[in-house]
């Protein structure tokens, strides 16, 4: 059984999917997959006790059927045998050889359509805008001219998004605002349930942020 729920903030869906292993000829195993505000996770069972896989989705993520002529990675090799299969790509801004992907089979055309719609909705809802509150979920260095280490759990406020999708973020305690390029945005999650205005009122001038 699959279920889905949509809200103004984020698309949510969960259900059984067959997930392929790391190699093109790897066996496929049933996984309980959950798409929620934190991203896309796979579990060994529906009790969600054992995580088997996690895809750090973000504004640069996408999902498409194997049958799509533009489907990336190993998708062309699975088109004939898995007509209800699809691929989830974490960040299309990364070089092809560095892109993290997950290969899934919904086994039914209607179910794969639901998953693709849910993921598309999630990505649209996760797009960053000035005034958004974000949190680092994976350690990395900012993309500013002087790079600064960013640690998991650090919160920031988006103050600018340029035409390329690159973002300037204000992190409390840092002298300068930091650039985060689109290729690294999957390492930071959007916090939809938190109100940045209360936290950053004394850090960011009101005329510098579009609320």
């Amino acid at each position: 059984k699959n279920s889905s729920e949509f809200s103004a903030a984020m698309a949510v869906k969960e259900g059984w999917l067959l997930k392929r292993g790391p190699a093109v000829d790897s066996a496929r195993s049933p996984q309980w997959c959950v798409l929620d505000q934190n991203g896309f996770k796979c579990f060994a069972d529906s009790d969600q006790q054992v995580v088997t896989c996690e895809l750090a989705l973000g504004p640069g993520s996408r999902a498409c059927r194997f049958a799509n002529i533009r489907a990336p990675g190993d998708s062309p090799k699975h088109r004939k045998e898995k007509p209800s299969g699809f691929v989830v790509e974490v960040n299309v801004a990364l070089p092809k050889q560095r892109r993290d992907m997950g290969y899934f089979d919904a086994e039914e055309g209607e179910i794969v359509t639901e998953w693709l719609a849910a993921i598309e909705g999630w990505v649209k809802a996760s797009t960053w805008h000035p005034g958004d509150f974000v949190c680092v979920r994976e350690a990395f260095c900012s993309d500013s001219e002087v790079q600064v280490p960013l640690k998991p759990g650090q919160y920031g406020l988006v103050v600018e998004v340029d035409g390329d999708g690159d973002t300037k973020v204000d992190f409390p305690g840092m002298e300068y605002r930091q650039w985060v390029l689109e290729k690294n945005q999957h390492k930071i999650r959007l916090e939809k349930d938190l109100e940045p205005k209360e936290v950053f009122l004394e850090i960011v001038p009101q005329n510098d942020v579009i609320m």
Side-chain angles (χ1 to χ4, degrees), residues 17 25 28-29 32 34 39 43 45 55 58 72 84 93 105 119 124 158 164 166 170-171 180 200 207:
L17 294 171
D25 56 352
R28 293 171 176 80
S29 60
W32 182 258
V34 177
F43 298 88
D45 211 332
L55 296 175
S84 296
D105 183 11
I119 294 171
K124 286 181 178 179
V158 175
D164 295 322
D166 301 330
D170 193 325
F171 292 98
V180 178
F200 286 87
N207 61 3

Side-chain angles (χ1 to χ4, degrees), residues 4-5 63-64 68 74 94-95 104 112 115 166 183 187 195 205:
S4 62
E5 177 184 343
C64 61
N68 188 318
D74 296 332
L94 289 173
F104 301 90
V112 69
W115 274 101
D166 301 330
K183 67 179 183 180
K187 299 174 182 177
E195 176 53 66

Side-chain angles (χ1 to χ4, degrees), residues 129-154:
H129 301 91
D132 282 341
F133 201 33
V134 295
C135 181
V136 178
R137 60 181 172 189
E138 177 183 336
F140 72 105
C141 288
S142 70
D143 298 296
S144 297
E145 184 175 350
V146 178
Q147 294 183 315
V148 174
L150 300 174
K151 300 178 181 179
Q154 280 186 281

